[in-house]
Amino acid sequence: MGDQLNTDMNAFDSNGWAVLELPFVQNKISEAKELFNQQFLPKFTDDAQLNRELIKRFADHPFVASIFCSEEFVEAISKVAGISTAVKCGPLVSHYTSNNMTGNGYGLPYHQDYPSMGSSHRSVICWVNLADSGPEAHGVEVLSGRHKEGLLKGEQTGSAYVLDASVFEEAEATVPVISAGSVLLMSSFLPHRTYVNADFSGWKLSLSQRFDDLDDREWGVRGFKNAYRTAVDRDLYIGSI
Ligand SMILES: [Fe+2]
């Protein structure tokens, strides 16, 4: 375990990402998948918007959310990322990728997550897929080591800080092989995009949670702020009663 931890720490430092195989997370994610299949999937219809809402509600299920707040989870990712006191940055978010109507073959282009956080420079993203992911399926594509370059040339859009083509045109990309329930830990500065395999008929349902380091003094100087706000749709109730 100690050797594995050192390997993960070194990989995270030099590549900006590491895959952590944590048995307790793998077991919990396997249970979460059962929950999805039994409670959420049967409610799917041919209404793609309704299905997307169900996928979001899955991330709100207390059992699913608790995995990412468990002591073991936070301790493991903190050690590898060198985080002293982890605090969540934003909610647990679900990402669905498929070539069917619900996913529509959509994936985010190359981007960096930090501009959608604006918080600690040591912040990380924990990404877990319910199914195996890699070049043969859908997944994530990363530019190893480029997190060391800080904020790269790009443009803030409504959905992400999208990188300029000059950043990745000549770059060597990696699609990590990640087994179901393993944790992809990424620096918030690591350039990445959704890997959509046009020939893959299955789907990918991943969950991600971001964390900051409360002991990052530089973040403290900036007031411990993050970019998240709680938005309430004040009109949603109209027509519901
Ligand atoms: Fe991202």
Side-chain angles (χ1 to χ4, degrees):
M1 182 66 194
D3 284 353
Q4 186 56 52
L5 190 65
N6 287 339
T7 306
D8 290 340
M9 286 166 75
N10 292 339
F12 182 78
D13 189 48
S14 58
N15 296 330
W17 62 275
V19 176
L20 281 54
E21 293 183 355
L22 308 167
F24 57 90
V25 177
Q26 289 167 330
N27 292 338
K28 294 276 182 194
I29 289 293
S30 165
E31 282 181 59
K33 193 174 178 181
E34 280 293 299
L35 177 75
F36 183 77
N37 287 336
Q38 286 172 13
Q39 303 288 338
F40 289 77
L41 209 51
K43 296 181 176 66
F44 272 44
T45 68
D46 54 6
D47 179 348
Q49 186 54 43
L50 177 110
N51 299 346
R52 288 188 202 115
E53 290 295 339
L54 281 166
I55 290 163
K56 286 188 207 168
R57 298 296 80 76
F58 176 61
D60 291 336
H61 192 285
F63 177 78
V64 178
S66 72
I67 300 170
F68 293 79
C69 290
S70 67
E71 208 175 320
E72 299 111 305
F73 182 92
V74 175
E75 209 171 286
I77 63 112
S78 296
K79 271 186 189 157
V80 173
I83 286 178
S84 174
T85 303
V87 286
K88 286 201 306 166
C89 182
L92 181 65
V93 176
S94 52
H95 316 265
Y96 182 79
T97 308
S98 74
N99 292 311
N100 69 15
M101 191 180 55
T102 302
N104 206 18
Y106 176 76
L108 272 175
Y110 270 121
H111 64 281
Q112 286 176 304
D113 284 349
Y114 181 76
S116 62
M117 302 162 77
S119 46
S120 168
H121 290 172
R122 290 186 212 154
S123 49
V124 294
I125 294 91
C126 303
W127 184 97
V128 177
N129 193 8
L130 267 67
D132 295 343
S133 63
E136 305 299 318
H138 300 307
V140 180
E141 195 161 7
V142 300
L143 302 184
S144 292
R146 302 289 298 273
H147 64 300
K148 291 183 187 281
E149 297 173 39
L151 194 64
L152 294 158
K153 190 179 175 191
E155 191 188 346
Q156 187 70 295
T157 71
S159 53
Y161 180 81
V162 176
L163 297 177
D164 191 85
S166 61
V167 172
F168 55 83
E169 260 167 2
E170 313 270 303
E172 206 172 298
T174 308
V175 180
V177 174
I178 307 165
S179 59
S182 295
V183 182
L184 172 64
L185 183 66
M186 294 190 287
S187 157
S188 60
F189 286 96
L190 182 74
H192 61 286
R193 69 176 169 189
T194 315
Y195 174 73
V196 184
N197 182 340
D199 299 324
F200 182 59
S201 60
W203 47 267
K204 161 180 96 54
L205 176 52
S206 51
L207 299 156
S208 71
Q209 177 65 61
R210 299 167 172 188
F211 289 94
D212 281 304
D213 188 350
L214 193 73
D215 291 327
D216 177 356
R217 289 188 186 187
E218 190 276 332
W219 185 34
V221 170
R222 287 185 281 119
F224 296 115
K225 291 178 184 166
N226 73 34
Y228 284 90
R229 299 279 178 274
T230 301
V232 177
D233 181 349
R234 304 282 176 194
D235 295 329
L236 182 66
Y237 80 100
I238 298 170
S240 72
I241 48 173

